[in-house]
Amino acid sequence: MVCIDHRPDVTARARERAARLGFTRMEFLEAHLDAAAYPERMDVLTALHACDTATDDALTAALQHHATHIAVVPCCQAEVAAQLKDNRARVEPAWDALFGHAWHRREFGSHLTNVIRALALEAQGYTVTVTELTGWEHSLKNELILARKVQPRNGMAQKKLDALLLATGVQPKLLRSLAAG
């Protein structure tokens, strides 16, 4: 098991805890997700409350290293909300009504980000389930995205994703990273 975190204190505590408990097959890396050294192939990738585009970095790593299973709990997503604000003049008025106000833009942007993530995974050949991690009384940021690789690609999901991107004018980091290779 390889655990990656960019915070030195978290990594040090995790190493100490694993050593104390005798977990010898765990490795703890201090790195940003988009710059970490990953194994060639992953069986499972998990990311819990990875803020803003860190979830995209985790999903990119999972896709580039052919993870069989993915489980992510995204946290805050500000990137798409900013793109929506910049795109207001270029989208249909009905779409603009969904994110014309800052509060709506933030909430819609968060939702749109995770819809795009789910469609991107489906397009890459994963079957995807989106559900809640825990009850809303415990956390407002509790969307759980589960994915399992079942086929090489899914053209129908790609068409849905392309249509959604065209309609909203957004291009999240996950898609830019995948396009870059």
Side-chain angles (χ1 to χ4, degrees), residues 106-175:
R106 186 178 74 217
E107 293 300 313
F108 182 73
S110 177
H111 181 67
L112 180 59
T113 299
N114 289 334
V115 169
I116 290 170
R117 288 170 174 160
L119 282 171
L121 289 169
E122 289 176 359
Q124 293 291 319
Y126 288 79
T127 183
V128 176
T129 301
V130 180
T131 188
E132 65 180 358
L133 175 66
T134 185
W136 291 109
E137 67 274 13
H138 301 292
S139 174
L140 295 178
K141 308 250 190 243
N142 73 345
E143 189 167 338
L144 172 62
I145 302 172
L146 299 169
R148 182 174 53 92
K149 185 75 169 178
V150 294
Q151 62 186 5
R153 305 265 315 152
N154 179 332
M156 185 60 77
Q158 186 64 54
K159 287 179 182 178
K160 289 179 185 179
L161 176 60
D162 292 343
L164 184 59
L165 297 173
L166 182 63
T168 59
V170 299
Q171 191 70 20
K173 184 177 184 184
L174 171 62
L175 302 179

Side-chain angles (χ1 to χ4, degrees), residues 45-60:
L45 178 127
T46 62
L48 300 176
H49 296 288
C51 285
D52 199 16
T53 60
T55 296
D56 293 328
D57 295 334
L59 291 172
T60 299

Side-chain angles (χ1 to χ4, degrees), residues 39-83:
E40 183 58 33
R41 177 142 176 22
M42 295 180 205
D43 292 317
V44 178
L45 178 127
T46 62
L48 300 176
H49 296 288
C51 285
D52 199 16
T53 60
T55 296
D56 293 328
D57 295 334
L59 291 172
T60 299
L63 294 170
Q64 289 175 341
H65 297 279
H66 313 288
T68 306
H69 300 277
I70 300 169
V72 296
V73 179
C75 192
C76 51
Q77 297 105 341
E79 180 198 31
V80 167
Q83 291 179 20

